[in-house]
Amino acid sequence: MSVHKEVKRVTTAVLQEMKARGEKISMLTAYDFTLAKIVDEAGMDIILVGDSASNVMAGHETTLPITLDQMIYHASSVIRAIKRSLVVVDLPFGSYQGDSKEALRSSIRIMKESEAHSVKLEGGKEVIESVNRILSAGIPVMGHLGLTPQSIYKFGTYTVRAKEEEEAQRLIEDAHLLEEAGVFALILEKVPAALAERVAKELTIPVIGIGAGGGVDGQVLVMHDMLGITQEFSPRFLRRYHNLYEEMLGAFNSYIDDVKSGDFPNEKEQY
Ligand code: KIV
């Protein structure tokens, strides 16, 4: 029997046990009550209230504009829907970099005001003081290395990271640093599969990939991308499980036609 099927509530300890047993971890983003409820009922191990809300919910080009208040709003909507999944909330850009006391204050706000279970932040050595301070308050932290979208203006593009030896080496060192600090899991985004597999083998904590191949301990995707609601974003790593954009467009068109023709509402659809 898999750990996944046995547990009533996914905790950081459960994830650790999954890694130890070689059981893959499923993770997906959610930003609102209604869809989070379906994701939780489906049996997702981790729900990420990602700062990708800045893109898919608010329509911004990058993840940078979303605020701490907005993240807390999304996180508390998700939390109200959850019975089983572990909920991780992204610390937004500007709420933790460069000032570890600010990082702790931001994390405490997320935990208190949304009642989420953990936070995630991007970066390695440069944010380790913040990681340590948040952990010292008993708040579980997830790391995020590789393509870190909050640094997009430093990178310049969303292409694969750590292809060169020097950057790969730095990523490996950062991964170890984060594990030693005590993060409970690590996201690797858009890095070569061989590098991600090596990191997953070297670390004892779960390593969850997005565009990082199959040699890691779990996978994460953005819900709107895997459902095919977003159309313009189609990187190689994305598997679309539906074409909801087309289906929804069809439904909206039919509704418009029915309203215009007077077909809706019919006799049974009125009082
Ligand atoms: O914000 C987000 O959705 C993320 C995932 C891409 C890992 O950080």
Side-chain angles (χ1 to χ4, degrees), residues 27 29 31 48-53 55 63 90 120 122 144 149 187 189 210 220-222:
M27 177 168 173
T29 66
Y31 317 97
L48 171 64
V49 183
D51 59 359
S52 49
N55 310 110
T63 57
D90 262 332
K120 170 165 90 60
E122 297 181 4
H144 185 155
I187 298 274
E189 180 165 353
I210 172 163
V220 57
L221 285 175
V222 168

Side-chain angles (χ1 to χ4, degrees), residues 10-12 15 45-47 84-88 117-118 184:
V10 180
T11 61
T12 57
L15 298 174
D45 296 316
I46 307 176
I47 292 183
R84 180 185 172 279
S85 308
L86 181 92
V87 176
V88 183
H117 311 135
S118 58
F184 72 91

